[in-house]
Amino acid sequence: MRIDRYVIRQIVAAMIIVVVSLTCVIWLSQSLRFIDMIVNRGLPLATFIYFTVLLMPTWLSLVLPIACFAATMFVYSRMASDRELVVLTASGLGPLGLARPAIIVSIIVTLLGYLLSLYLVPVSYRGFKELQFQIRHNYTNVLLREGVFNSISDDVTVFVRARQPDGELAGIIVQDDRDESESVTLLAERGALILDGNDPKVLMVNGNRQARENATGRINILYFDRYTVDLGGLGEAGQRTARDQNELFVDELLNPTEQITQPRNFLKYKAEGHSRLVTPLLGLALPLIGLVVILKGEFSRRGQSRRLIVAVVLVGLVQAAVLGSKYAAAKEFGLLPLMYGSAIAPILICLIILARQKLRRPRSPSAPVEGSPA
């Protein structure tokens, strides 16, 4: 129907604005957590943007249900204020007919939520964690900052006084405490960061090596023309073994093994897996709550503030119930049905209300009251 297409366009346009706005806010707030990778690691801006974009599916899975609810409330409240809903009601549309465009959009949002939750979130978040690990542990990506003590690891610190455009380093100090028997300090006039295969090394020219034996306190000094400090052993921890919950697919979460996590976390992982199946349903439940509140009873020109507040409170309660039941199921798995009930019950209740509800058009002040003379 043309009316459905008209309302759907309005909802989609409003939802895009809300999604973009909320996503930008989340992006700005979350990206501050990783700003040290630009400041301390010399991460290129393009890589930083790609790094944060990998989190976008995770943010969208949270934002889409809220955006759909907000867009639905905005469009239907405006239609009520402009008397468009009154006209549509007079043409014979009931509450379920009026709600049909929003329900169509909500179903699409729910399906998109499942696509994000079941596939895009684990794939993108796994890419995010892998890139984060490479930035932190792959020393081919580390750019030594000038005039700063760069902590390469807990046991190695490198200081560079100046970095030349051609990559040459001037005024190098390396503190190496990897050997438990001695503490080594190396100083050199100049040098460079080089790669031998995948192993990073610091080539030092015209300097000295001071080794202090931890047991005796004896200091040995060696003067050198050229000396190489091998940092390759630092990155060998380097294959990731532990996986975050967001990196795992639903089947892995529902059937955790000791290769994935410790047995004491099995319930927590199973609750997360079921949450992946339940959370997308909020894309349908939240807009339906808004529709029931907006379409209930008479339409009024005096605004929809009270109804908006009621809808927001109800939506907040539903989201709190879903989230709370998730944490409850992580501790007592028998409470898992509460999680499904928290999302499915509002959908069924709202659909029943919309199917049975009859809208009342507002009575005109000049219209004669039944039983009174015309």
Side-chain angles (χ1 to χ4, degrees):
M1 292 177 60
R2 294 175 59 185
I3 295 175
D4 288 351
R5 291 196 296 270
Y6 165 75
V7 178
I8 288 173
R9 285 197 302 267
Q10 298 292 318
I11 294 175
V12 171
M15 192 171 68
I16 290 174
I17 295 174
V18 176
V19 167
V20 171
S21 301
L22 291 178
T23 302
C24 287
V25 170
I26 296 175
W27 184 83
L28 289 173
S29 62
Q30 294 297 311
S31 61
L32 294 177
R33 296 164 45 199
F34 312 114
I35 201 68
D36 69 295
M37 293 187 177
I38 290 180
V39 177
N40 297 329
R41 298 274 177 174
L43 191 68
L45 181 60
T47 304
F48 172 77
I49 293 175
Y50 173 69
F51 184 71
T52 53
V53 165
L54 286 173
L55 291 174
M56 198 70 70
T58 304
W59 301 336
L60 286 176
S61 65
L62 302 174
V63 166
L64 278 176
I66 298 174
C68 188
F69 163 74
T72 300
M73 292 296 294
F74 171 77
V75 170
Y76 278 80
S77 295
R78 182 187 58 76
M79 291 176 66
S81 299
D82 294 345
R83 314 301 285 177
E84 291 178 315
L85 292 182
V86 173
V87 174
L88 294 175
T89 302
S91 67
L93 282 178
L96 202 57
L98 294 174
R100 184 170 56 238
I103 293 175
I104 293 173
V105 175
S106 300
I107 292 174
I108 295 173
V109 169
T110 300
L111 295 176
L112 182 57
Y114 275 110
L115 175 63
L116 291 167
S117 180
L118 301 181
Y119 181 73
L120 294 180
V121 167
V123 168
S124 63
Y125 200 81
R126 184 171 297 183
F128 164 78
K129 296 297 286 187
E130 293 288 350
L131 181 58
Q132 184 184 50
F133 183 82
Q134 291 177 14
I135 291 170
R136 289 178 175 175
H137 298 279
N138 184 358
Y139 296 93
T140 62
N141 294 329
V142 173
L143 299 179
L144 300 177
R145 297 175 58 212
E146 300 176 345
V148 173
F149 287 92
N150 301 273
S151 296
I152 305 301
S153 73
D154 293 337
D155 300 322
V156 177
T157 301
V158 180
F159 176 86
V160 176
R161 177 169 50 83
R163 187 185 187 93
Q164 305 302 328
D166 59 359
E168 181 177 307
L169 309 176
I172 306 172
I173 302 175
V174 176
Q175 180 65 38
D176 187 350
D177 296 319
R178 285 176 288 176
D179 191 339
E180 295 182 359
S181 64
E182 64 178 6
S183 176
V184 178
T185 303
L186 300 105
L187 299 92
E189 292 181 3
R190 65 182 188 277
L193 181 66
I194 60 175
L195 292 177
D196 182 7
N198 292 324
D199 294 333
K201 299 180 179 180
V202 176
L203 174 64
M204 307 180 73
V205 179
N206 294 337
N208 64 78
R209 178 184 186 274
Q210 304 175 23
R212 179 182 182 276
E213 296 180 3
N214 295 331
T216 63
R218 181 181 177 182
I219 298 177
N220 299 312
I221 301 179
L222 171 67
Y223 293 91
F224 56 80
D225 294 327
R226 297 170 65 89
Y227 191 90
T228 301
V229 181
D230 189 355
L231 303 180
L234 296 176
E236 291 174 2
Q239 294 298 327
R240 294 181 60 232
T241 55
R243 294 287 182 182
D244 191 275
Q245 289 184 12
N246 289 335
E247 299 179 69
L248 302 177
F249 291 94
V250 170
D251 59 329
E252 297 173 303
L253 290 169
L254 295 179
N255 303 285
T257 63
E258 293 187 9
Q259 286 74 30
I260 295 176
T261 186
Q262 298 179 1
R264 68 171 182 268
N265 295 326
F266 283 0
L267 284 182
K268 181 180 178 182
Y269 275 60
K270 289 181 179 180
E272 176 65 26
H274 287 281
S275 177
R276 296 270 191 92
L277 299 175
V278 171
T279 303
L281 293 175
L282 293 177
L284 181 59
L286 302 190
L288 280 174
I289 293 172
L291 288 170
V292 167
V293 174
I294 287 293
L295 299 179
K296 182 176 176 58
E298 295 182 354
F299 301 121
S300 172
R301 284 183 177 271
R302 299 177 181 177
Q304 305 290 327
S305 300
R306 183 178 300 176
R307 297 188 182 190
L308 290 174
I309 294 173
V310 171
V312 170
V313 170
L314 292 176
V315 163
L317 291 175
V318 169
Q319 287 191 306
V322 171
L323 185 61
S325 59
K326 171 186 172 181
Y327 288 110
K331 296 181 179 180
E332 179 56 53
F333 202 66
L335 298 176
L336 181 64
L338 292 177
M339 189 190 306
Y340 286 90
S342 300
I344 296 175
I347 295 175
L348 298 178
I349 292 172
C350 290
L351 289 175
I352 291 172
I353 293 175
L354 289 173
R356 293 184 176 182
Q357 183 174 310
K358 299 295 183 182
L359 291 176
R360 293 175 295 169
R361 285 173 287 176
R363 184 181 299 158
S364 172
S366 59
V369 179
E370 185 178 351
S372 62

